[in-house]
Amino acid sequence: MTFSRTLKRLASTAAAALFLSVLAPAGASADDVSVADLNLRTPFDCGQVWNANTRTNHNPLLSVDFQRSDAQGKNVLSSAPGTVTTVADLGDESYGRYIIVDHGSGITTLYAHLQTQSVAVGDSVSTGTAIGTVGSTGGSTGPHLHYEQRVNGAVVEVVLNGVEIYYYGNTSITSSTGC
């Protein structure tokens, strides 16, 4: 790991801990409220295997692109219970069609480049609720799901099903959502 990458990880971890310590209830530590505590699940149907790709030139840096040969039209599921706060379409730019779900305690997930969106702002979702389908909208060059986990708006390293995604490269992950 390069010195620069180490500093970025330390800064990201420190910022997340600081944000969470401000949000935590009186008497609770930052460790009491975290992305890991939510046990975020892979946003796909049970048993599907996806390649989770990360790279140093990705924007934002800690986001993940989920890819597979038949990705187009596959269900995209909420990673955890929450409330839909954004359902947007940026046309041919950036995220294209995307959704943001608020999971509380400053933790949100973002799902982008969607072909379809099947929820509305204000909807309550459970872990595994279908919120849309994989597409290739916005600045995408092929069907995939662009996915982010955020703490108070800052993108953090992704952990799904208790599996840490490898930075920077590829992680094969099998969805256990809804199994």
Side-chain angles (χ1 to χ4, degrees):
M1 182 179 295
T2 67
F3 181 70
S4 174
R5 195 177 317 158
T6 300
L7 284 178
K8 285 179 186 174
R9 281 187 174 188
L10 288 173
S12 176
T13 301
L18 175 64
F19 286 131
L20 289 173
S21 68
V22 170
L23 290 174
S29 72
D31 292 334
D32 291 332
V33 181
S34 72
V35 172
D37 291 338
L38 278 178
N39 190 26
L40 292 161
R41 310 308 296 168
T42 308
F44 303 107
D45 291 322
C46 177
Q48 290 183 357
V49 179
W50 289 79
N51 176 54
N53 173 264
T54 59
R55 55 191 187 278
T56 57
N57 66 342
H58 209 179
N59 186 18
L61 185 60
L62 299 177
S63 56
V64 174
D65 282 345
F66 285 102
Q67 306 159 328
R68 60 186 269 162
S69 61
D70 62 346
Q72 184 78 27
K74 295 291 187 206
N75 287 332
V76 174
L77 312 177
S78 178
S79 291
T83 302
V84 176
T85 59
T86 305
V87 177
D89 185 351
L90 300 176
D92 292 335
E93 302 294 320
S94 184
Y95 294 134
R97 289 188 184 111
Y98 72 100
I99 294 168
I100 298 175
V101 177
D102 183 340
H103 306 288
S105 300
I107 300 169
T108 60
T109 49
L110 178 142
Y111 312 80
H113 303 308
L114 300 173
Q115 177 180 338
T116 64
Q117 299 153 303
S118 54
V119 291
V121 171
D123 284 355
S124 291
V125 294
S126 300
T127 302
T129 298
I131 60 173
T133 57
V134 175
S136 183
T137 62
S140 173
T141 58
H144 71 283
L145 177 68
H146 175 95
Y147 178 85
E148 299 173 16
Q149 291 177 356
R150 298 175 175 182
V151 176
N152 292 332
V155 180
V156 297
E157 289 189 359
V158 171
V159 176
L160 293 163
N161 312 339
V163 175
E164 291 184 36
I165 301 300
Y166 174 72
Y167 287 87
Y168 293 93
N170 296 289
T171 304
S172 179
I173 191 162
T174 301
S175 181
S176 61
T177 306
C179 293

